[in-house]
Amino acid sequence: LFAGLATDAALDLDAHLAAQLELMGGSFTGGQRAFAGAARLSYRAAPGALGASVGYTDVPGQQRGTLLGVFAERDEAPSLLVALGAGVELKSPTADLYFAELMLHLMPTDHLLIQTGISYAQAEIKQTRADIVIHVEYAGFRLGDTTVAGYVQYGGNLFTRAALGLTVYFDRDTVRGRQRRHGAHGLRFK
């Protein structure tokens, strides 16, 4: 089991350009610590966004990795955003991974986000190379100028990962507005 905290900050550089930073730290039940960080730069125009991301993960004494990726997003409908990503994870001491991903961001209401998709990675250790990802988040609790959301997440095939969490957004935006304004999705990092 893993427990940790993550933070995410977005900065609009001009009308179309934005930067995003994510940091995470935590530990496994055995006491082993883990850290990760990612930065994204994106260009957003009317139909969607294009961007690049770089990330770093470290489980001291066991595994390190650097992620380099590109991504594209397209607004298909008011309640649907499609995101594609591809890149490489330069890992040590294990072999590098090349990946491609497709994610659908479904927003049936102003408070509900359903993300689903597949992540395909070239890897020797997997029986099948495509992971299925499902993330459901409900962001309907407002406290002053903040929004509190709860989420559940599942991913994997050979290695199953499940998560349960709480997110605090320092805004009163709707799920749709937040996904389109600050939703630069470098997919593999999460």
Side-chain angles (χ1 to χ4, degrees):
L1 294 175
F2 179 82
L5 292 173
T7 186
D8 179 332
L11 176 65
D12 292 326
L13 302 174
D14 69 12
H16 298 287
L17 212 55
Q20 193 172 357
L21 177 67
E22 290 186 33
L23 299 172
M24 183 189 72
S27 63
F28 293 93
T29 51
Q32 179 66 49
R33 297 191 184 278
F35 307 95
R40 291 183 200 79
L41 186 63
S42 62
Y43 176 83
R44 185 169 296 280
L50 296 173
S53 59
V54 60
Y56 180 77
T57 57
D58 190 5
V59 181
Q62 291 188 15
Q63 181 84 27
R64 287 185 320 277
T66 301
L67 178 141
L68 303 169
V70 294
F71 59 91
E73 299 175 6
R74 181 165 172 87
D75 295 328
E76 291 293 335
S79 60
L80 175 63
L81 185 142
V82 178
L84 296 167
V88 61
E89 285 184 54
L90 307 171
K91 299 174 86 84
S92 174
T94 57
D96 298 343
L97 295 178
Y98 297 90
F99 67 89
E101 298 179 306
L102 168 66
M103 287 292 241
L104 303 177
H105 300 245
L106 305 165
M107 299 157 282
T109 74
D110 285 344
H111 305 296
L112 183 62
L113 170 65
I114 302 168
Q115 292 175 257
T116 186
I118 58 167
S119 173
Y120 178 89
Q122 173 187 339
E124 299 299 322
I125 59 171
K126 293 185 178 182
Q127 293 173 345
T128 60
R129 297 178 177 180
D131 286 336
I132 297 168
V133 180
I134 299 168
H135 176 98
V136 178
E137 180 176 308
Y138 180 76
F141 307 104
R142 299 243 165 90
L143 301 168
D145 289 334
T146 62
T147 303
V148 179
Y151 70 87
V152 293
Q153 183 171 304
Y154 167 84
N157 54 27
L158 182 59
F159 299 113
T160 300
R161 295 171 303 279
L164 177 66
L166 191 66
T167 303
V168 178
Y169 296 104
F170 294 100
D171 62 36
R172 293 180 57 86
D173 207 351
T174 64
V175 169
R176 293 174 184 166
R178 191 178 299 114
Q179 287 289 301
R180 286 182 166 78
R181 194 180 73 226
H182 295 300
H185 303 290
L187 306 174
R188 187 80 181 166
F189 176 67
K190 289 198 173 189

